[in-house]
Amino acid sequence: MSARSGTLDSPVDRRSRLRASSDYLRTPEGHATVLGFVGALMLTFGGFGAGSVRRHDPLLEEMRLSWLRFGHGYALSTLIVWGGVLAMIIAWVRLGRSAINGRVGLRALSWTVPVWTAPMLLAVPMFSRDAYSYLAQGALLRDGFDPYAVGPVANPGLLLDNVSNVWTTTTAPYGPISLLLGAGITTITGDNVVAGTMLLRLTMLPGLALLVWALPRLARQLGGKPTIAVWLAVLNPLVLIHLIGGVHNELLMVGLMVAGITLALDRRHVAAVAIIAVGVAVKAMAAIALPFVVWIWMIHERERALAEDREPATPIASFVRTAGAGVAVFAAIFTGASAVAGVGLGWLTALSGSAKIVNWLSLPTIMAHIVTVGTGWFTGLRLEPVLDVTRTICAVALVGLLVWIWWRSRKTERDAVMGILLALVAIVILSPAALPWYYSWPLAIAAGFAMSTRTLQILVGLSTWLMLVFQPDGSIGLYTFFHVALAVVAAIVAAISLRTVDPLRLRSVSEKTHTSTEQIAEEPVQTTSERQSSPL
């Protein structure tokens, strides 16, 4: 349909669009889009052998691909996965350079999202086995169990067989909407793990669509750059590979939270609270935005009163009215979701289950490791009791820090959104445990702000490092020195590459070799187009 006339597009219009797409694919940005697509294909294929595959996979046996999971086949699969990850990182950095320099538009980046996402819709879960836990918890609700009272172990079957051992006895830490999605999917697919995983991944796509819709608006409201926002928080391999490939409900939660914040800045406060409440019913972390939305609502109420030449309400009266309205909307949405699912608030106690995760992505674990390594030789201290102490210290500090951040964020809309960002960063750092995809929470908010190239370089380096420190099968690589060292090198190169086309000087090395071979007296001149085609 034509956007202006409402008539069917003419053949001329269709040809012009095809020509524009073809022209784009010939540009360096188009080449980066294709490279990212190839990387996603490699990731998907390699994942059949090296990803978080089922413990018993008759589908691979029927396809005669079981050899990919063992011996040389597994090694080949692993190389293909990491090659795909690196290809996507290289493509992402190249698009980032173009976005910074204004050579790629929002429409091209928005269309790149489905291009990079599509291959991963067919992948096995990557870098995590959480998808199997979602299905098993949904099956509990489907079969009449209370997922907030018992773990997946109470319902033996094929779904349970694929849940990570650490989570088989853990009750569900997710909201009622997550459970309803899992129950609905397993009702349709039964114990078919493949179909359940595919359908589960599709239910996360609305979160991706919400991010693509909301982030450009959030950037315009906060003074950021829409193209940078989509590039940083959507096309980021840390986001796409972990949240789409890994099938994490963070994608749905973050999309709803960012959309709610955007609506609040647009003065649609009731809708904002309702959308965020739905996000909380997916995963509790979205709730961190609600107290800051109250500040935004109060600021707008004051501005409206002044615009209408009325005396604004006192801060206390305004807070009581706006917070009360927000609580009422939230309670209605959340209570309704809980009633439909037939569950209560037992998931709040299950949030402590994250304490089973031990890695040094969180400050309490770093502190415990330092203490035990530094003094354990002399005192015999073990990690577990020290970790209990450091987690308690950081929990107390976190509560105080969150209250302080919330109070100091009350003056302007920008302060309130920045408060959400700082609160999420504090939670990720000070919480008992953290995982790479947790960093997608603050990243989505940060993308709306204007940032210097140096800040973007830091975020590129951090995203790259976080993307590389877990194994494709979901195991942790943080305790392998060689793995971490390679991740650090790749992160540094990626960060530098956002500003420098050829940080490793690979082009100059290639030219010198060519010069020596051909015995040419003069060094060839490197053109701008040649520099743009260099690695990263």
Side-chain angles (χ1 to χ4, degrees):
M1 300 288 287
S2 172
R4 291 183 181 179
S5 64
T7 60
L8 290 173
D9 290 334
S10 67
V12 175
D13 293 332
R14 288 194 294 271
R15 283 196 297 270
S16 65
R17 282 202 303 273
L18 289 173
R19 189 179 303 112
S21 300
S22 177
D23 291 342
Y24 172 74
L25 291 176
R26 294 190 182 96
T27 65
E29 294 74 36
H31 296 163
T33 297
V34 173
L35 178 61
F37 174 73
V38 172
L41 285 175
M42 294 174 64
L43 187 79
T44 298
F45 181 75
F48 288 116
S52 303
V53 295
R54 291 182 289 170
R55 293 190 170 97
H56 173 66
D57 199 328
L59 181 61
L60 281 183
E61 294 173 3
E62 291 176 8
M63 297 172 64
R64 301 184 182 276
L65 293 175
S66 293
W67 60 274
L68 291 172
R69 300 181 58 183
F70 308 101
H72 295 304
Y74 177 76
L76 176 63
S77 298
T78 302
L79 288 175
I80 292 174
V81 168
W82 284 122
V85 171
L86 292 176
M88 292 189 73
I89 291 173
I90 292 170
W92 177 58
V93 172
R94 287 181 176 178
L95 284 178
R97 275 204 310 269
S98 296
I100 291 171
N101 296 325
R103 296 198 305 267
V104 64
L106 181 60
R107 183 172 182 178
L109 291 177
S110 298
W111 276 110
T112 301
V113 175
V115 170
W116 287 10
T117 300
M120 287 187 284
L121 296 180
L122 301 176
V124 303
M126 299 297 302
F127 294 91
S128 170
R129 304 186 70 84
D130 282 3
Y132 303 128
S133 294
Y134 297 162
L135 294 175
Q137 289 160 2
L140 284 173
L141 186 64
R142 176 199 66 187
D143 296 337
F145 296 92
D146 183 354
Y148 298 153
V150 298
V153 71
N155 194 20
L158 290 176
L159 297 178
L160 173 65
D161 293 344
N162 294 285
V163 177
S164 295
N165 293 333
V166 70
W167 303 124
T168 55
T169 58
T170 304
T171 56
Y174 308 115
I177 288 182
S178 282
L179 295 181
L180 285 170
L181 289 175
I185 289 168
T186 53
T187 298
I188 295 171
T189 62
D191 288 345
N192 188 317
V193 181
V194 174
T197 301
M198 299 298 180
L199 193 54
L200 182 64
R201 189 177 271 127
L202 291 179
T203 65
M204 304 301 166
L205 291 183
L208 188 67
L210 284 172
L211 283 176
V212 174
W213 172 81
L215 280 172
R217 290 164 173 77
L218 185 65
R220 295 185 187 101
Q221 291 159 334
L222 298 176
K225 194 173 180 181
T227 51
I228 294 294
V230 172
W231 165 77
L232 179 63
V234 181
L235 286 171
N236 192 326
L238 176 67
V239 174
L240 287 184
I241 295 176
H242 273 304
L243 301 192
I244 293 292
V247 202
H248 289 290
N249 56 15
E250 259 84 4
L251 183 58
L252 196 52
M253 181 271 287
V254 171
L256 289 163
M257 180 177 67
V258 174
I261 295 168
T262 303
L263 289 173
L265 294 174
D266 282 339
R267 300 174 183 266
R268 298 166 65 183
H269 310 108
V270 173
V273 174
I275 291 292
I276 295 174
V278 174
V280 177
V282 173
K283 191 165 186 174
M285 195 50 57
I288 200 66
L290 290 171
F292 297 90
V293 168
V294 171
W295 290 144
I296 296 173
W297 197 341
M298 289 175 61
I299 291 167
H300 290 166
E301 288 297 315
R302 178 178 176 80
E303 290 175 350
R304 187 172 70 171
L306 293 173
E308 295 174 355
D309 201 23
R310 293 185 288 106
E311 181 68 24
T314 64
I316 294 178
S318 179
F319 179 81
V320 170
R321 184 164 58 246
T322 54
V327 168
V329 173
F330 173 82
I333 297 292
F334 198 87
T335 302
S338 299
V340 172
V343 296
L345 297 177
W347 62 289
L348 294 175
T349 58
L351 293 175
S352 61
S354 63
K356 295 182 178 181
I357 302 170
V358 178
N359 65 58
W360 49 272
L361 286 181
S362 66
L363 183 59
T365 308
I366 294 174
M367 293 167 59
H369 277 306
I370 291 173
V371 170
T372 53
V373 171
T375 65
W377 182 266
F378 305 101
T379 63
L381 285 174
R382 294 181 297 108
L383 180 64
E384 290 78 8
V386 177
L387 191 57
D388 290 338
V389 174
T390 57
R391 283 175 169 174
T392 301
I393 293 172
C394 288
V396 173
L398 178 60
V399 171
L401 187 59
L402 290 177
V403 172
W404 177 76
I405 291 172
W406 176 69
W407 181 250
R408 70 180 295 275
S409 304
R410 67 191 185 279
K411 295 182 180 178
T412 67
E413 296 171 320
R414 183 184 176 84
D415 287 344
V417 180
M418 179 60 75
I420 299 173
L421 169 59
L422 295 176
L424 290 171
V425 171
I427 291 171
V428 171
I429 293 175
L430 294 173
S431 61
L435 293 165
W437 49 92
Y438 288 8
Y439 287 80
S440 65
W441 310 341
L443 189 65
I445 308 299
F449 290 92
M451 287 177 276
S452 66
T453 303
R454 177 59 57 86
T455 301
L456 291 174
Q457 284 182 289
I458 293 172
L459 293 177
V460 164
L462 178 62
S463 297
T464 300
W465 186 82
L466 288 168
M467 181 62 252
L468 298 177
V469 292
F470 265 45
Q471 298 283 4
D473 63 358
S475 58
I476 301 173
L478 286 166
Y479 292 95
T480 304
F481 175 79
F482 185 66
H483 188 132
V484 174
L486 287 178
V488 169
V489 171
I492 293 172
V493 172
I496 296 173
S497 299
L498 191 64
R499 178 174 285 177
T500 305
V501 173
D502 188 11
L504 299 179
R505 301 176 183 266
L506 298 179
R507 171 64 67 174
S508 60
V509 171
S510 174
E511 287 173 347
K512 287 180 181 179
T513 302
H514 177 75
T515 301
S516 175
T517 302
E518 300 295 330
Q519 296 182 344
I520 299 176
E522 263 182 55
E523 286 285 337
V525 177
Q526 187 181 32
T527 66
T528 301
S529 61
E530 287 175 325
R531 286 197 299 272
Q532 289 178 345
S533 65
S534 300
L536 279 182

